[in-house]
Amino acid sequence: MRPSRPMSPLERELRERIARDGPIKVADYMAACNAHYYATRDPLGVAGDFTTAPEISQMFGELVGAWLADLWERAGRPEGAAYVELGPGRGTLGADALRVMRKAGLEPEAHLVEMSPVLRRAQAVRLPGATWHDDVKTLPDTGPLLIVANEFFDALPVRQFDAGGRELTVTAAELGFLRWGDATREDCPAGRAIVAALAARLARQGGALLIIDYGYDRPGRADTLQAMSRHAFTSAWTAPGEADLTAHVDFAALAGAAGEARISGPLGQGAWLQALGIEQRAAALIRAQPARAAEIEAARSRLVSPDRMGELFKAMAISATGWPEPAGFAR
Ligand code: SAH
């Protein structure tokens, strides 16, 4: 099939691949789309395609930094701890978190796992002196790892299966692409592999992995693959690589990949931020800048309200067994 409209290089490449090898797996389609999407733009913020918690307010990164500093403090302030972020976006979360950590006497090196050259450049502005990695395998293997992943796991490719256990595939169509079948189950092997690798590091080196993302805490959701462009849902099957493709995170599956590590949560982002003191942090910011009171209050509400990001987004911590219990998860 040869559509007469202009075609992006990625669309042409996918069409050629399908013509040559036959239908491709949904996971391979998603991986190809997102690699192109993130490599070619900064998608964050009002002018982009979606807005993340650290871009809404400094309170988010500050509370994450305070959470890490508290854990490190109660672990006996071990030497040589590294701050690690998976998919750090613009580096905003890291900058806010590290500012708070430094005030607590924790001055870790920053190690960033990021595939996008465009976003690496943005991160270098906010996190000068950081070290970049293509893969978690090359993270330092000496001290404890204090690892944060906000809206990272949702971007990793999912495999989809129908009720008969057949894997769903994607083929070329007149306009864009077509997915065959109805998904009743998803699996994110890339996410499970990253958690397994990091949990093994935590067991040897100490530390914790904080995962914040939208998703579900019980298995059973069927088709959660979605495409987002200019802050609205769009089709995942037209204009490949031009919209953000995500799938809801299966927290139970990630917890299951963590071996012997301690699992805390998942808990709704709203409840978790409230346990860490977001109300007090908002009040302090408003006292310092009364003219910004309405903006700060709106951001707080957006992060914690159950009908905004408070319940769909969840926090889960995976931590070394010898380490103290992470804060904020006691119900
Ligand atoms: N954590 C940031 C950005 C979230 S967007 C925030 O909260 O604002 C997803 C991030 O993950 C981007 O930085 C993207 O480039 C990165 N990313 C997506 N897939 C990746 C992969 N397979 N390997 C490394 N980084 C990836």
Side-chain angles (χ1 to χ4, degrees):
M1 261 171 281
R2 280 247 153 258
S4 54
R5 70 206 151 76
M7 221 189 277
S8 72
L10 176 64
E11 177 164 359
R12 184 162 295 123
E13 192 184 305
L14 287 168
R15 283 177 178 276
E16 282 166 9
R17 186 166 157 192
I18 290 167
R20 192 180 60 233
D21 304 337
I24 58 174
K25 293 173 179 176
V26 167
D28 294 338
Y29 177 84
M30 185 174 174
C33 289
N34 273 352
H36 176 84
Y37 175 78
Y38 283 107
T40 50
R41 75 207 70 205
D42 172 352
L44 297 162
V46 185
D49 291 326
F50 59 98
T51 301
T52 56
E55 301 298 332
I56 291 170
S57 168
Q58 68 187 81
M59 293 186 283
F60 185 81
E62 288 171 348
L63 290 168
V64 167
W67 182 86
L68 289 172
D70 164 71
L71 194 62
W72 171 80
E73 184 100 46
R74 288 186 290 119
R77 302 170 74 96
E79 291 286 318
Y83 174 77
V84 176
E85 210 181 314
L86 312 181
R90 289 180 178 165
T92 309
L93 196 175
D96 291 335
L98 283 162
R99 191 172 61 245
V100 169
M101 286 189 254
R102 282 189 208 105
K103 276 191 200 144
L106 169 57
E107 301 205 25
E109 280 182 7
H111 289 267
L112 311 177
V113 180
E114 173 59 66
M115 65 172 178
S116 160
V118 174
L119 290 173
R120 280 187 182 202
R121 282 195 288 278
Q123 291 153 20
V125 175
R126 287 198 172 83
L127 299 166
T131 305
W132 281 267
H133 301 261
D134 293 324
D135 195 283
V136 297
K137 286 193 189 85
T138 55
L139 289 170
D141 58 4
T142 43
L145 299 178
L146 306 173
I147 314 166
V148 178
N150 185 64
E151 288 208 43
F152 168 75
F153 284 93
D154 65 61
L156 300 179
V158 287
R159 300 175 68 181
Q160 294 191 315
F161 300 89
D162 70 13
R166 283 173 296 264
E167 184 157 7
L168 268 54
T169 57
V170 178
T171 185
E174 189 80 41
L175 282 171
F177 295 85
L178 203 65
R179 175 183 53 173
W180 288 99
D182 292 314
T184 59
R185 189 170 71 79
E186 290 176 341
D187 180 33
C188 184
R192 289 189 289 105
I194 289 171
V195 166
L198 292 176
R201 294 296 206 94
L202 297 177
R204 286 202 300 276
Q205 299 172 225
L209 160 61
L210 174 66
I211 300 173
I212 303 177
D213 225 310
Y214 48 103
Y216 46 97
D217 45 15
R218 257 173 266 284
R221 287 293 299 277
D223 177 14
T224 73
L225 185 66
Q226 63 187 41
M228 181 76 84
S229 176
R230 309 267 152 215
H231 303 270
F233 291 113
T234 178
S235 165
W237 315 109
T238 52
E242 299 304 320
D244 181 44
L245 299 192
T246 62
H248 286 209
V249 170
D250 181 347
F251 281 96
L254 294 186
E260 302 294 294
R262 181 210 309 268
I263 307 291
S264 308
L267 182 64
Q269 169 175 300
W272 187 73
L273 290 174
Q274 278 164 337
L276 298 184
I278 192 169
E279 318 289 349
Q280 294 88 322
R281 185 71 197 121
L285 285 176
I286 289 171
R287 275 196 302 279
Q289 290 173 288
R292 288 183 54 211
E295 175 203 329
I296 293 163
E297 173 47 30
R300 186 205 60 80
S301 164
R302 187 167 170 192
L303 292 172
V304 307
S305 295
D307 57 346
R308 308 293 295 284
M309 296 177 79
E311 271 176 11
L312 176 59
F313 282 77
K314 293 172 178 61
M316 182 172 84
I318 296 172
S319 54
T321 43
W323 274 49
E325 182 118 21
F329 289 98
R331 286 178 195 245

